[in-house]
Amino acid sequence: METVYLAGGCLWGVQAFIKTLPGVVATEAGRANGTTTELDGDYDGYAECVKTTFEPNKISITDLMNYLFEIIDPYSVNKQGVDEGPKYRTGIYSEYPRHLEEAQVFINQRPDKERIAVEVLPLSNYIKSADEHQDRLDKCPEDISYCHIHPELLTKYK
């Protein structure tokens, strides 16, 4: 098993989507690459993300990037859907350089690479989100109306 951290705006929909993907064995809602060891009201630079544990023999970083690009606007800076601010930026974070290299190759091979605003950075810090945010759309399906991810995508790969 390997782990990567995917940021795609509000983590509720991102987690609901990512956990349906073949080869993904676990997800956890959290925050990545902030500057403190605890969350405060300003999030101190954190990006909402989904800690994604996957089987690399079933799904690759390139696959995960393709899936991520299905649910985000890769050109948008600090905004996905109605959510605005640095915590809603997009990115992939990892403790493994080869994950980041593969993600960067994915971006560099795209004809629109100059416009892409998706961060590709080493994971510097991670904090698990509160229980109320874990699998939020399973607990509160009505919250999908707030989400930037189209509901059909949440069942596309099940």
Side-chain angles (χ1 to χ4, degrees), residues 16-17 20 149-158:
F17 176 74
T20 69
I149 297 173
H150 195 279
E152 289 177 5
L153 287 173
L154 301 181
T155 58
K156 184 175 179 180
Y157 300 105
K158 278 188 173 181

Side-chain angles (χ1 to χ4, degrees), residues 60-141:
S60 68
I61 295 297
T62 299
D63 295 332
L64 288 168
M65 292 295 287
N66 271 310
Y67 289 125
L68 180 65
F69 274 52
E70 280 189 56
I71 60 170
I72 65 169
D73 173 354
Y75 314 125
S76 183
V77 176
N78 298 334
K79 182 180 185 324
Q80 291 294 310
V82 299
D83 296 311
E84 292 188 52
K87 71 178 183 173
Y88 298 114
R89 67 190 183 269
T90 57
I92 178 170
Y93 312 101
S94 181
E95 298 171 297
Y96 303 99
R98 64 183 164 71
H99 288 171
L100 302 176
E101 291 164 10
E102 189 173 340
Q104 196 61 59
V105 166
F106 171 85
I107 291 171
N108 289 342
Q109 290 178 343
R110 292 178 54 100
D112 58 352
K113 65 184 174 189
E114 300 301 323
R115 297 179 53 212
I116 294 176
V118 177
E119 293 182 330
V120 178
L121 295 170
L123 181 72
S124 61
N125 196 3
Y126 173 79
I127 296 175
K128 178 182 175 182
S129 291
D131 287 343
E132 68 190 67
H133 296 291
Q134 302 300 326
D135 300 306
R136 175 69 181 214
L137 294 184
D138 288 344
K139 299 174 203 169
C140 305

